[in-house]
């Protein structure tokens, strides 16, 4: 959880609110609070009213490519030829909606499942209605659900989440034809870390499960050394485990990180042997609370200044490097075009629904030629091309 908060802080530092955003939020708050039931027609932020219409149900893709966005203007430089959907956070730039729809990409709002209210059916029904009304009024194309608290099987909450997903998918699909309903799930279905769900019926109810094939280091519980954020083998076996439950592989989207983890070495022996301070936790002695998330664009600026340069670990199929700051050694493990391209092949091997990257703003969109090439390579590593088809 502390690691998630650290990542949230990195994201927050890069959030940039616009005046238009503030105006839209103010209108939305007044609309929800007044329960008028009708959203003012002039709130559409686009030059063409047609761009404020959700994408039709017939527009589907052979490969889904999701990008998570946290506000600002970086969306202008995304490779829209590859994106099928953008998941937005609270810091939402309204112009992104226009650009996304102009490029036949869906705009998906985030919704944090109210874990504390799961036992109260009336409150959950009201929460679902509020979310679908908000999405309709905002011209969004669906909802991406998050839930970070651990939930044990056999509990009331465990059953309630299954019912909630079924209900919210049914309501969204009816209210917004073509809308997309998904939920994030841990990298493995074996309840190793994070929430635990009844995955088969949930996958059947919603459009797909977004598998968080990131920050797996917290579950290894082995000798405490800095290691890869998202090892290839863990990624493959975690996704395979979902399929082995009986879930259709086309109901799975693989999440990958556009960031790395910076570890402070308690004892540095050599590259790849950065011993860490042990932290007692339920998942083991090594958790992500002992690392700091670092965006890919910052890694690319720091890497040339490191005293090791880029190393590659064949076991994890992941790069890393070591730098020294104030007489302390740091080891940074991350994903780059080579490691991401290898993970992207898992989509073809397992016939997955698609892939998604955390976060779009973690790449460098400056005019610097080197940065531009690095950013292009990261986009290409996700998916070489996007093919559209209708059903």
């Amino acid at each position: 959880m502390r690691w998630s908060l650290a990542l949230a802080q990195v994201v927050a530092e890069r959030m940039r609110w616009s005046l238009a955003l503030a105006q839209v939020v103010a209108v939305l708050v007044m609309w929800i609070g007044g329960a008028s039931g009708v959203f003012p027609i002039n709130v559409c932020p686009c030059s063409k009213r047609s761009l404020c219409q959700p994408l039709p149900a017939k527009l589907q893709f052979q490969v889904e490519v999701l990008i998570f966005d946290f506000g600002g203007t970086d969306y202008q430089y995304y490779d829209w030829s590859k994106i099928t959907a953008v998941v937005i956070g609270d810091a939402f730039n309204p112009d992104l909606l226009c650009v996304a729809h102009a490029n036949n990409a869906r705009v998906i709002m985030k919704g944090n499942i109210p874990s504390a209210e799961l036992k109260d059916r009336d409150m959950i029904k009201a929460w679902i209605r509020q979310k679908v009304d908000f999405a309709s009024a905002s011209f969004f194309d669906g909802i991406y659900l998050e839930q970070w608290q651990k939930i044990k099987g056999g509990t009331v909450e465990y059953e309630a989440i299954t019912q909630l997903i079924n209900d919210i998918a049914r309501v969204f699909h009816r209210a917004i034809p073509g809308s997309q309903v998904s939920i994030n799930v841990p990298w493995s279905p074996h309840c190793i870390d994070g929430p635990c769900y009844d995955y088969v019926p949930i996958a059947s109810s919603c459009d797909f499960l977004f598998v968080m094939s990131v920050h797996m280091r917290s579950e290894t519980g082995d000798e405490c050394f800095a290691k890869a954020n998202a090892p290839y083998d863990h990624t493959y076996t975690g996704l395979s485990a979902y399929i082995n439950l009986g879930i259709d592989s086309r109901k799975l989207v693989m999440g990958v990180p556009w960031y790395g983890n910076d570890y402070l070495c308690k004892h540095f022996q050599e590259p790849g042997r950065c011993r860490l301070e042990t932290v007692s936790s339920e998942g083991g002695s090594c958790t992500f609370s002992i690392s700091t998330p670092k965006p890919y664009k910052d890694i690319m600026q720091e890497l040339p200044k490191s005293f090791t340069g880029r190393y590659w670990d064949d076991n994890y199929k992941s790069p890393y490097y070591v730098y020294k700051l104030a007489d302390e050694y740091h080891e940074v493990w991350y994903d780059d075009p080579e490691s991401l391209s290898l993970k992207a092949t898992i989509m073809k091997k397992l016939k997955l629904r698609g892939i998604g990257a955390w976060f779009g703003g973690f790449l460098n969109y400056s005019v610097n030629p080197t940065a531009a090439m690095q950013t292009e390579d990261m986009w290409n590593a996700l998916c070489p091309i996007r093919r559209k088809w209708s059903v």
Side-chain angles (χ1 to χ4, degrees), residues 271-302:
R273 299 290 291 175
C274 167
R275 185 179 292 277
L276 307 174
E277 189 78 47
T278 57
V279 178
S280 178
S281 70
E282 185 178 341
S285 62
C286 285
T287 73
F288 269 85
S289 61
I290 55 179
S291 68
T292 302
K294 181 166 289 187
Y296 183 75
K297 60 184 176 184
D298 295 344
I299 288 171
M300 288 297 97
Q301 292 181 345
E302 187 175 74

Side-chain angles (χ1 to χ4, degrees), residues 232 335-346 377 380-382:
Y232 176 90
D335 276 278
D336 67 2
E338 182 177 0
S339 63
L340 290 174
S341 293
L342 289 171
K343 291 187 178 74
T345 63
I346 296 175
D377 288 344
N380 289 336
L382 277 186

Side-chain angles (χ1 to χ4, degrees), residues 195-213:
C196 189
Y197 305 132
D198 194 358
Y199 295 106
V200 175
I202 284 178
S204 178
S205 296
C206 66
D207 291 279
F208 57 82
L209 307 180
F210 187 85
V211 183
M212 299 289 291
S213 303

Side-chain angles (χ1 to χ4, degrees), residues 197-261:
Y197 305 132
D198 194 358
Y199 295 106
V200 175
I202 284 178
S204 178
S205 296
C206 66
D207 291 279
F208 57 82
L209 307 180
F210 187 85
V211 183
M212 299 289 291
S213 303
V214 298
H215 52 264
M216 303 176 196
R217 184 71 184 91
S218 58
E219 292 86 13
T220 59
D222 56 5
E223 194 175 12
C224 205
F225 286 94
K227 291 180 181 177
N229 177 14
Y232 176 90
D233 288 344
H234 281 60
T235 302
Y236 189 91
T237 56
L239 288 160
S240 297
Y242 279 101
I243 296 172
N244 291 338
L245 291 177
I247 295 174
D248 185 348
S249 63
R250 293 288 298 170
K251 286 278 190 171
L252 301 174
V253 171
M254 173 178 59
V256 295
W258 273 356
Y259 60 88
N261 287 309

Side-chain angles (χ1 to χ4, degrees), residues 110-185:
K110 282 205 301 183
N112 295 313
I113 295 176
S115 304
E117 285 79 39
L118 283 172
K119 297 179 182 179
D120 191 324
R121 286 290 297 156
D122 290 336
M123 290 190 68
I124 289 300
K125 287 180 180 179
W127 181 83
I128 292 174
R129 175 48 55 190
Q130 182 192 55
K131 293 302 178 186
V132 75
D133 286 347
F134 186 90
S136 297
S138 306
F139 317 107
F140 296 153
D141 305 277
I143 187 168
Y144 168 86
L145 299 166
E146 290 186 330
Q147 204 287 128
W148 300 103
Q149 294 185 18
K150 288 191 176 183
I151 294 178
K152 296 181 179 180
T155 62
V156 174
E157 290 84 359
Y158 184 83
E159 300 297 333
I161 280 192
T162 303
Q163 184 64 49
L164 183 152
I165 303 304
N166 181 71
D167 291 346
I168 198 169
R170 174 175 48 81
V171 172
F172 259 85
H173 291 156
R174 183 178 62 228
I176 309 174
S179 60
Q180 198 175 79
V181 177
S182 60
I183 181 173
N184 73 333
V185 297

Side-chain angles (χ1 to χ4, degrees), residues 69-113:
D69 182 88
F70 48 73
T73 58
D74 283 340
Y75 71 89
Q76 300 176 61
Y77 310 105
Y78 291 171
D79 187 343
W80 288 100
S81 69
K82 296 181 174 63
I83 301 171
T84 64
V86 179
V87 179
I88 58 171
D90 294 333
F92 166 55
N93 191 319
D95 292 335
L96 181 149
L97 176 79
C98 315
V99 174
H101 282 178
N103 286 279
N104 287 328
R106 289 182 167 88
V107 177
I108 311 297
M109 64 182 282
K110 282 205 301 183
N112 295 313
I113 295 176

